[in-house]
Amino acid sequence: MILSSPSSSSVSPHPLASYGWDESREAEFSPHAEQGLLPGRVLRVDRGLCDVVTPYGTVRADTEYVAPRDPMMAVCTGDWVAVDAEGSGRRYVRTLLPRRTAFVRSASSKHSKGQVLATNIDHVIICVSLAAELDLARIERFLALAMSCSNGEALLNGTTDSQESGVQPLVVLTKADLVPDAVTLSHLLQDVETAAPGVPALPVSAQTGNGLDVLAAVASGGTSVLLGQSGAGKSTLANAMVGEDVMDVQATRDVDGKGRHTTTTRNLLVLPGGGVLIDTPGLRGVGLYDAESGVGQVFSEIEELAGRCRFHDCGHESEPGCAVLAAIDSGELAERRLESYRKLKRENQWIVAKTDVRVQAELRQDWKRKKAQGQAVMEAKRGRWR
């Protein structure tokens, strides 16, 4: 059974149109429809079971038949799937449709295994609470991941290549009502824009409603995922955008402004103004995963400066003719930005090197080069001491 597409003018819209179903999805699903399966989108996953919205309502389905050993290919909130029709007893997810995009992080900064947080997304909304001191390095980390959103079909096929997928990041400064004056808010906004060049930054207050209309307009254009630490106000923001209390929330701790871990699963919600929203648990560790392209985009000014260095393999540490260090000396570039860039580059190289022999060799060569430079410096010092 192939249900009508939302573009048809002679029939009603597809029952899943509000969840993002389109003609392309219908074409992908056609072979499964011939087998009597139903299309659906995963709303949440919990211990091997998932809630799937189908044209005939939400069903509980088992993921046993699509539970690979590779966690990158496990069923995730946001996936489009084929499920058993009613009357077949215990219902199972039989297959995943190709993923267009996937937000992936490493399970932690100390491991090389990837974890998919949300799939088939169009916008990554990075929530940063203004109730605590801004952590610009963490914002840069989130952005590097957002701008490296992996091509979902590649992940589903078992590869880990990253491609620019058209996912749009947005930094949302939550709890803006706690900032005492407009001047302070403006300075905070400038700091974030410096850490996120070219990425929109939007102050929002779920309490006063300021900024919610702009955020709703952005989110209406597809699927958005809310990301951030516990206490960033993601669930409160989700409730405000949906227009009702669909997510549990708790107050932040007065002693340090940090949040309590309330949301424990990723949940897909339909927005009244169009689009869908995926709310996620607070992220304690945000390890990079194959995010080289994202790091380059977040620190585009450093990458541009590096192209002017005298040596093409300049490490921007003490080399003569280094345009990056010259920019720091002149005040054009903040040293904090360079330190953050170095840290993320090193971390991403370490992650990639776990599975890429070529990168392993390059890192060994770089280590040998630096060791030789250090020994040369020490020999020069010993010569002056004699």
Side-chain angles (χ1 to χ4, degrees):
M1 176 182 63
I2 301 179
L3 297 167
S4 58
S5 69
S7 62
S8 175
S9 59
S10 59
V11 294
S12 300
H14 192 286
L16 296 177
S18 60
Y19 289 88
W21 184 265
D22 55 26
E23 291 181 345
S24 176
R25 287 297 180 197
E26 182 142 2
E28 293 168 351
F29 187 76
S30 180
H32 308 296
E34 294 173 358
Q35 300 172 19
L37 300 176
L38 293 178
R41 193 166 194 191
V42 177
L43 303 180
R44 67 191 294 267
V45 181
D46 184 21
R47 298 179 182 179
L49 299 175
C50 61
D51 292 336
V52 181
V53 59
T54 75
Y56 304 106
T58 301
V59 302
R60 191 77 162 159
D62 197 314
T63 65
E64 179 182 348
Y65 292 107
V66 285
R69 293 183 178 179
D70 185 356
M72 296 278 282
M73 298 166 65
V75 176
C76 182
T77 302
D79 273 330
W80 287 98
V81 298
V83 298
D84 291 324
E86 188 177 3
S88 57
R90 187 176 180 86
R91 301 173 84 160
Y92 292 88
V93 173
R94 296 294 175 173
T95 189
L96 275 66
L97 271 62
R99 290 169 174 168
R100 295 177 182 171
T101 57
F103 187 96
V104 184
R105 66 162 181 174
S106 64
S108 77
S109 60
K110 297 180 181 180
H111 298 87
S112 59
K113 293 183 179 180
Q115 179 189 21
V116 183
L117 297 184
T119 63
N120 300 309
I121 52 177
D122 302 289
H123 305 283
V124 174
I125 300 175
I126 301 165
C127 297
V128 181
S129 172
L130 290 179
E133 184 177 353
L134 283 178
D135 186 343
L136 299 180
R138 179 169 286 268
I139 294 174
E140 290 162 345
R141 177 177 290 271
F142 270 108
L143 285 172
L145 283 170
M147 291 180 172
S148 300
C149 270
S150 300
N151 176 274
E153 189 169 358
L155 289 176
L156 198 56
N157 290 333
T159 63
T160 56
D161 291 336
S162 292
Q163 301 177 5
E164 292 186 22
S165 56
V167 173
Q168 300 298 316
L170 169 67
V171 178
V172 169
L173 304 178
T174 65
K175 308 181 184 182
D177 55 288
L178 299 181
V179 179
D181 59 86
V183 174
T184 301
L185 181 60
S186 176
H187 289 160
L188 292 171
L189 193 59
Q190 289 176 6
D191 289 341
V192 172
E193 290 173 342
T194 300
V199 176
L202 176 67
V204 169
S205 170
Q207 298 298 321
T208 65
N210 289 340
L212 286 179
D213 54 341
V214 178
L215 183 58
V218 172
S220 66
T223 298
S224 304
V225 59
L226 293 177
L227 298 171
Q229 290 181 287
S230 295
K234 299 185 301 299
S235 294
T236 300
L237 194 58
N239 288 339
M241 294 175 71
V242 173
E244 57 181 295
D245 293 338
V246 292
M247 301 300 299
D248 293 333
V249 298
Q250 293 188 36
T252 55
R253 299 195 299 255
D254 291 335
V255 63
D256 56 10
K258 293 185 178 180
R260 298 174 173 87
H261 208 65
T262 306
T263 303
T264 57
T265 59
R266 284 155 261 161
N267 301 273
L268 188 147
L269 311 166
V270 176
L271 299 175
V276 295
L277 185 70
I278 298 176
D279 187 22
T280 64
L283 299 177
R284 295 186 178 93
V286 194
L288 297 188
Y289 190 87
D290 199 7
E292 182 177 357
S293 63
V295 173
Q297 291 179 71
V298 174
F299 298 93
S300 57
E301 80 279 28
I302 296 180
E303 298 263 307
E304 182 180 353
L305 286 167
R308 305 177 200 166
C309 292
R310 181 182 302 176
F311 304 108
H312 74 278
D313 60 346
C314 183
H316 321 305
E317 294 175 352
S318 58
E319 297 87 345
C322 176
V324 175
L325 296 180
I328 288 179
D329 291 340
S330 67
E332 178 186 351
L333 177 67
E335 189 169 357
R336 186 207 66 79
R337 284 279 286 174
L338 179 57
E339 287 303 315
S340 183
Y341 173 74
R342 285 171 173 163
K343 181 177 181 179
L344 295 183
K345 289 281 283 187
R346 286 195 302 267
E347 180 181 326
N348 190 70
Q349 283 183 328
W350 184 87
I351 292 292
V352 174
K354 299 292 285 186
T355 56
D356 192 317
V357 176
R358 180 184 59 81
V359 175
Q360 291 176 3
E362 290 177 353
L363 289 177
R364 283 196 296 269
Q365 288 295 329
D366 185 58
W367 180 81
K368 290 179 180 179
R369 178 179 61 83
K370 290 180 178 179
K371 182 180 179 181
Q373 288 177 343
Q375 289 175 340
V377 171
M378 291 302 298
E379 288 296 329
K381 289 182 178 179
R382 290 194 188 99
R384 288 197 298 270
W385 294 337
R386 289 172 184 157

